[in-house]
């Protein structure tokens, strides 16, 4: 027992543990940023903030699997191949940037108002910076550069918060700019300090691109389906209920983003380890890491739910009393979000094996189910209330989790490497 406690203590204090703690701390800072926005903006202006975030997500979806596939290859490639992959990714991001600029120029003519037009353009800039930040973070994770990654993550978050001192002068503009500053500060800091992470040429070799897309394109498609899931909900709300209604969902959107930070961090930490262990046929290490991943995810979900139950309403009543009624949308979405999070340790197996069919089935099924609900609402002429929208979204996430776990069960029946037992290695061996 003492040895196990010592193991967990050393894990928490390691660079990997600090990576998770830094991400939690940074997102507490982002929570402060959102708190300021919710204090100084009305519901329509919060809808514009949500619109900017939506554009950022859309631009991020334009990577077509190049970033995810390149990251997967970096986990097992040498230095020369890593350099070529890095050049390819930056070349591709540059092409995406040119495309975004053209689309923004055309969309100005169709924007409903000048405000919507410049928010859309700013979102495109933030989306491009977020693409670069995501790639740099993946590089540093693959190269196990956790200490500098932690520093860059923390300092860029502080820079984003520092911008808020100008809120009294221009509340909406500053709240939007604060979102852009974070990825910009991260990219500038890391590329200035780490020359090895910069590109040294702009190239797009066809053979390497095919390898990258073979590893990442299907992951991209699954990510697109997940993004479509979110976009369908948000655009339905805007179209049927208006920007004010989207503002009422802002608390739920904020909670989802904060909740998923730890699971995303865990996934990023465990994937390189599992790829290497599986490649070396280290069956015990694979099972131990999967078990550890699940137990940490389970503990996190229980802790997050408990904190929300104990502190959610009191904190809102004290800091943001007008948003207390919006807390119900968080609770209605939470069950599906928890189930989806607990499916992550099972779903990571498909990434290790580079078999993504189950991802497609899960995310496609969830997106189709949610779209069917909204389509039925539109055809019937009955507008869904926000409570019903939240329940539909929760159900879609629960469906995705179920399909992912069933897919894992099928894989583990034929490949014992990925089996694990919650009671530990002894039970697993038995």
């Amino acid at each position: 027992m003492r040895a196990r406690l010592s193991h967990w203590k050393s894990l928490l204090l390691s660079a990997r543990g600090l990576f998770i703690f830094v991400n939690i701390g940074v997102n507490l800072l982002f929570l402060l940023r959102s708190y300021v926005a919710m204090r100084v903006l009305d519901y329509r202006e919060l809808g514009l903030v949500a619109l900017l975030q939506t554009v950022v997500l859309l631009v991020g979806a334009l990577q077509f699997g190049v970033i995810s596939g390149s990251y997967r290859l970096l986990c097992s490639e040498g230095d020369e191949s890593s350099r070529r992959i890095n050049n390819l990714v930056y070349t591709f991001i540059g092409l995406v940037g040119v495309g975004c600029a053209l689309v923004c120029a055309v969309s100005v003519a169709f924007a409903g108002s000048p405000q919507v037009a410049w928010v859309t353009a700013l979102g495109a800039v933030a989306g491009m910076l977020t693409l670069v930040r995501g790639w740099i973070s993946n590089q540093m994770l693959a190269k196990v550069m956790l200490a500098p990654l932690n520093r860059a993550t923390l300092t860029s978050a502080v820079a984003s918060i520092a911008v808020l001192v100008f809120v009294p002068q221009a509340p909406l503009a500053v709240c939007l700019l604060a979102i852009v500053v974070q990825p910009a500060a991260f990219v500038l800091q890391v590329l200035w300090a780490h020359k090895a992470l910069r590109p040294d040429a702009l190239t797009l070799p066809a053979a390497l691109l095919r390898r990258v897309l073979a590893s990442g394109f299907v992951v991209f498609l699954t990510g697109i389906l997940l993004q479509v899931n979110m976009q369908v909900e948000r655009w339905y709300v805007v179209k049927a209920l208006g920007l004010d209604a989207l503002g009422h969902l802002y608390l739920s959107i904020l909670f989802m983003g904060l909740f998923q930070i730890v699971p995303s961090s865990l996934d990023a930490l465990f994937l390189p380890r599992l790829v290497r262990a599986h490649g070396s046929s280290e069956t015990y290490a694979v099972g131990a890491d999967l078990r550890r991943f699940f137990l940490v995810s389970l503990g996190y979900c229980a802790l997050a739910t408990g904190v929300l139950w104990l502190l959610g309403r009191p904190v809102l009543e004290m800091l943001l009393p007008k948003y207390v009624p919006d807390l119900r949308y968080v609770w209605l979405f939470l069950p599906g979000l928890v189930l989806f999070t607990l499916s992550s340790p099972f779903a990571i197996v498909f990434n290790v094996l580079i078999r993504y069919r189950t991802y497609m089935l899960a995310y496609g099924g969830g997106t189709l189910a949610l779209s069917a609900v909204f389509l039925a609402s539109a055809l019937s002429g009955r507008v869904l209330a926000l409570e019903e929208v939240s329940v539909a979204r929760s159900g879609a996430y629960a469906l995705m989790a179920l399909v992912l776990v069933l897919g894992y069960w099928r894989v583990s029946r034929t490949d014992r490497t990925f089996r694990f037992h919650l009671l530990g290695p002894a039970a697993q061996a038995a």
Side-chain angles (χ1 to χ4, degrees), residues 102-391:
L102 294 174
V103 171
C104 284
V106 173
S107 66
V108 168
F110 300 96
S113 70
Q115 205 174 36
V116 171
W118 71 260
V119 167
T120 302
L122 189 63
V125 173
M128 290 301 304
L129 290 168
T130 301
L131 272 180
V132 178
R133 185 199 65 187
W135 169 239
I136 292 173
S137 297
N138 285 343
Q139 282 182 287
M140 299 175 86
L141 284 167
K143 295 175 180 293
V144 199
M145 298 172 61
L146 295 181
L149 175 57
N150 289 340
R151 285 194 299 271
T153 301
L154 187 58
T155 54
S156 61
V158 171
S160 174
I161 297 300
V163 173
L164 296 177
V165 299
F166 300 104
V167 157
Q169 282 71 43
L172 177 60
V174 170
C175 288
L176 294 171
L177 184 61
I179 296 173
V180 183
V181 164
Q182 192 268 331
F186 181 96
V187 170
L188 291 173
Q189 177 186 351
V190 174
L191 293 185
W192 177 268
H194 300 281
K195 184 178 179 180
L197 299 179
R198 305 175 202 164
D200 55 24
L202 295 179
T203 59
L204 204 66
L208 181 58
L209 181 61
R210 283 195 294 269
R211 283 188 64 208
V212 166
L213 291 177
S215 297
F217 184 69
V218 179
V219 175
F220 157 75
L221 289 179
T222 59
I224 284 290
L225 290 172
L226 193 58
Q227 292 297 331
V228 168
N229 193 306
M230 291 185 283
Q231 301 297 333
V232 163
E233 176 208 17
R234 295 182 190 182
W235 289 113
Y236 173 84
V237 171
V238 170
K239 184 69 176 177
L241 300 169
L243 271 175
D244 283 6
L246 186 60
H248 281 284
L249 281 183
Y250 187 81
L251 184 66
S252 175
I253 295 170
L254 172 64
F255 177 81
M256 179 178 70
L258 290 172
F259 187 95
Q260 291 182 319
I261 291 302
V262 170
S264 297
S265 300
L266 291 171
D267 195 85
L269 286 174
F270 277 101
L271 178 60
R273 292 165 54 88
L274 286 166
V275 168
R276 296 186 187 104
H278 182 258
S280 303
S281 300
E282 299 175 25
T283 303
Y284 172 81
V286 171
D289 272 341
L290 287 175
R291 173 177 173 272
R292 198 173 293 125
F293 191 178
F294 180 80
L295 290 177
V296 173
S297 298
L298 181 63
Y300 169 71
C301 287
L303 178 62
T305 303
V307 169
L308 180 64
W309 180 62
L310 290 172
L311 301 178
R313 178 173 287 272
V315 169
L316 281 178
E317 288 175 343
M318 179 174 61
L319 300 177
L320 296 164
K322 80 172 183 177
Y323 291 93
V324 170
D326 297 339
L327 186 61
R328 63 180 179 271
Y329 307 128
V330 176
W331 281 112
L332 289 172
F333 176 53
L334 184 63
L337 182 59
V338 167
L339 291 174
F340 184 70
T341 299
L342 292 178
S343 72
S344 296
F346 304 100
I348 200 173
V349 167
F350 310 121
N351 217 344
V352 173
L353 293 173
I354 318 183
R355 295 184 199 167
Y356 302 123
R357 182 184 176 189
T358 304
Y359 277 134
M360 294 289 291
L361 292 174
Y363 294 172
T367 299
L368 287 175
L370 192 60
S371 299
V373 170
F374 294 142
L375 180 61
S377 167
L379 293 176
S380 67
R382 177 179 175 274
V383 177
L384 298 177
L386 288 179
E387 291 86 353
E388 294 169 309
V389 170
S390 300
V391 170

Side-chain angles (χ1 to χ4, degrees), residues 63-78:
Q63 53 110 350
F64 292 102
V66 169
I67 290 180
S68 51
S70 296
Y71 170 55
R72 176 59 182 82
L73 291 180
L74 279 186
C75 292
S76 55
E77 295 288 332

Side-chain angles (χ1 to χ4, degrees), residues 47-85:
L48 288 171
V49 173
L51 176 62
L52 181 139
Q53 293 170 333
T54 299
V55 174
V56 171
L57 291 174
L58 286 173
V59 173
L62 296 177
Q63 53 110 350
F64 292 102
V66 169
I67 290 180
S68 51
S70 296
Y71 170 55
R72 176 59 182 82
L73 291 180
L74 279 186
C75 292
S76 55
E77 295 288 332
D79 290 341
E80 177 57 26
S81 182
S82 297
R83 184 188 64 79
R84 295 174 63 239
I85 290 171

